Amino acid sequence: MTLLVVSPDYASHLLPLATLATEWRDRGERVVVATGPATAAIVESFGFERVHLQLGRGSNPGVIRAEEQVAEEDASLRGFFDATRLGMVETLSYQARERLTDLMWQPVATARAVLDVVAAVRPDQIVVDHLAFSARLALVAGGVPFADVVLGHPTALPVGDEVYGCPPEWPAAFGGAGAGADPALAGGRTTVESSNRPGTWFDDASVVRAAGDASVARADAGAAPDGVAGLRELCERVDASFTAEWNAALAELAPHLPPSTSAFGEHGDLLLYNYPGELADPEREALLPPHVWLGSAVRAEPVDAEVAAWLAGGADRAPAPAPDLDPTPDRDPTSDPDPDPTPAPFVYVSFGSFLSVRSDVLGRVAEALRRVGVRAAIALGSGDRADLGEVPSDWLVREFLPQVTLLDAATAAVTHGGNNSVTEAMTAGVPVVVLPFSTDQFAGAAALERTGVGVALAPNTATVDELAEALRHVLDLPTRDPGAAGRLAGLAASLRETPGRARAHAALTGRG
């Protein structure tokens, strides 16, 4: 039996797909990965075959830097990074405008290349990254059955009257009714209820928009539309344009097939959501096509000697003052020490391969960690170490860190809200402080906030004091919110008992 995995040339996309494929590998079955050259070493590390397939103009082997991309992708990334400094609406608007180039790159030629790979490999099953639009176009045109893996938050596939690119929900920190708003004005809605549906109320003025002063905006980031209503209108225009391009390519590849009504709503024969069903919005469930909740795709990592030694040092060190979870001045953190101390708590911090460039935000997080008095392991990525300020001697700071290994031992985490980071933290039973910057990170952060297993803040405006209080909350979650802590523990147990790779194999083969 042969499984074909089709992935963009990005580590953050390939790693969860490859992890799912290990179930086939471990059963002695053949796995072939079709992707680009930047991630070839990752394919090799899993022991899979690789065939060349270029699905887009960009790539990312693990840590992305704009200057290492081709010229057009370099400019696109720099524009994106600039937009993240302006706010949620500006960032989502920039991404919407970019979608015709970064999602449907040379669609007809790419689609034909995909069909050539299928003909050469002759797979029994195919799994495709949902965001590999040209690849999915090819399989639709060729009448080839496939499973569609949604690697991000479930809202990456819009349902009902949702519009791709405009989040159906987002955290309170980004606007809406707000905790102190007048319920009569808010119509009884909360900030995390759907605001991506025509006619729903939203306090547009409260959206965090650092670019409200035109002098702040960078020309290359593009002008922001008029709040969330303008964002939705822009996303509707992009949907129409993108669907027209999809249909033009489809007509050339398979003129006998009917056109799509919305290319962003297209999907495979079976949807595999790399997300825990326990966190999903129950109101969307009835609207979804045939699907399986995989929970997570947590990969095995090789032993990192430096990290292992750092973790062991935390376990062996003498009892230290507890983190300052109660900032009141009359509290003695050294009183009543634990006679059988557990390993010193620490917080894992990462903004992923793209957004680590926002080391200005990492700097505020680092200062909050110092104020709380807790150890930290920080994956710096492409950020500037100098932005962290003075790094305590018992912290671990490197460009890249083994995330799964550290989450397994962490007490809490700080993340940008990328789906890999969120699902891996949930599998480890680790509560999170989420600082979402883009795409589906806002909806993902709202889900964590709604279920109580995370605290969401706006990265551009969160103060050190606010970050410190959020850290205290998640570090002391069992005391501050025992119900949420219990839900998180139960979710982690479920995700560990039946890993996503086993769920995916059972769904595609009918064999457990």
Side-chain angles (χ1 to χ4, degrees), residues 254-286:
H256 61 286
L257 292 179
S260 173
T261 57
S262 174
F264 287 122
E266 294 288 337
H267 54 81
D269 303 87
L270 175 66
L271 280 169
L272 302 177
Y273 284 106
N274 184 37
Y275 195 75
E278 296 89 336
L279 295 182
D281 181 355
E283 293 184 4
R284 299 182 82 247
E285 183 80 22

Side-chain angles (χ1 to χ4, degrees), residues 111-132:
R112 288 175 173 153
V114 170
L115 292 175
D116 287 343
V117 168
V118 172
V121 175
R122 303 185 64 177
D124 298 281
Q125 294 103 25
I126 302 175
V127 296
V128 183
D129 182 348
H130 177 73
L131 293 184

Side-chain angles (χ1 to χ4, degrees), residues 9-11 38 54 56-61 64 68-69 73 77 354:
D9 201 16
Y10 289 85
Q54 197 71 38
R57 68 189 183 191
S59 63
N60 174 13
I64 195 163
E68 295 174 357
Q69 302 295 306
E73 188 69 6
L77 279 173
F354 278 92

Side-chain angles (χ1 to χ4, degrees), residues 144-207:
V144 181
F146 66 99
D148 187 350
V149 185
V150 180
L151 293 174
H153 187 267
T155 54
L157 175 68
V159 295
D161 53 11
E162 296 171 359
V163 180
Y164 185 83
C166 190
E169 57 177 347
W170 48 79
F174 290 87
D182 183 347
L185 294 176
R189 303 187 68 83
T190 67
T191 56
V192 297
E193 289 182 7
S194 172
S195 300
N196 177 17
R197 298 185 173 92
T200 57
W201 182 90
F202 186 79
D203 178 12
D204 182 73
S206 68
V207 175

Side-chain angles (χ1 to χ4, degrees), residues 117-409:
V117 168
V118 172
V121 175
R122 303 185 64 177
D124 298 281
Q125 294 103 25
I126 302 175
V127 296
V128 183
D129 182 348
H130 177 73
L131 293 184
F133 284 91
S134 297
R136 294 198 292 108
L137 169 68
L139 299 175
V140 169
V144 181
F146 66 99
D148 187 350
V149 185
V150 180
L151 293 174
H153 187 267
T155 54
L157 175 68
V159 295
D161 53 11
E162 296 171 359
V163 180
Y164 185 83
C166 190
E169 57 177 347
W170 48 79
F174 290 87
D182 183 347
L185 294 176
R189 303 187 68 83
T190 67
T191 56
V192 297
E193 289 182 7
S194 172
S195 300
N196 177 17
R197 298 185 173 92
T200 57
W201 182 90
F202 186 79
D203 178 12
D204 182 73
S206 68
V207 175
V208 175
R209 287 204 298 269
D213 178 355
S215 66
V216 177
R218 289 277 301 273
D220 52 0
D226 183 18
V228 175
L231 172 63
R232 181 183 171 95
E233 181 183 356
L234 170 61
C235 290
E236 288 173 341
R237 295 201 308 268
V238 172
D239 178 89
S241 178
F242 183 70
T243 299
E245 184 174 7
W246 171 286
N247 286 333
L250 182 64
E252 185 171 345
L253 293 163
H256 61 286
L257 292 179
S260 173
T261 57
S262 174
F264 287 122
E266 294 288 337
H267 54 81
D269 303 87
L270 175 66
L271 280 169
L272 302 177
Y273 284 106
N274 184 37
Y275 195 75
E278 296 89 336
L279 295 182
D281 181 355
E283 293 184 4
R284 299 182 82 247
E285 183 80 22
L287 302 175
L288 299 179
H291 64 280
V292 174
W293 297 108
L294 299 182
S296 63
V298 176
R299 61 195 181 277
E301 291 178 329
V303 174
D304 184 311
E306 182 184 15
V307 171
W310 186 79
L311 290 172
D316 295 341
R317 58 185 281 177
D324 184 15
L325 302 180
D326 180 358
T328 53
D330 58 348
R331 177 177 179 269
D332 179 5
T334 63
S335 63
D336 192 21
D338 186 347
D340 184 21
T342 56
F346 74 90
V347 176
Y348 173 72
V349 182
S350 173
F351 286 170
S353 55
F354 278 92
L355 289 159
S356 58
V357 72
R358 291 298 309 275
S359 53
D360 58 313
V361 182
L362 279 175
R364 275 181 277 130
V365 171
E367 177 58 28
L369 288 162
R370 284 189 289 266
R371 289 193 187 181
V372 173
V374 65
R375 289 196 310 155
I378 301 177
L380 187 59
S382 57
D384 186 345
R385 187 184 178 102
D387 287 339
L388 300 182
E390 184 176 354
V391 174
S393 60
D394 61 349
W395 287 17
L396 177 64
V397 178
R398 281 188 355 200
E399 177 181 87
F400 173 82
L401 288 170
Q403 177 162 290
V404 174
T405 300
L406 286 161
L407 282 173
D408 276 344

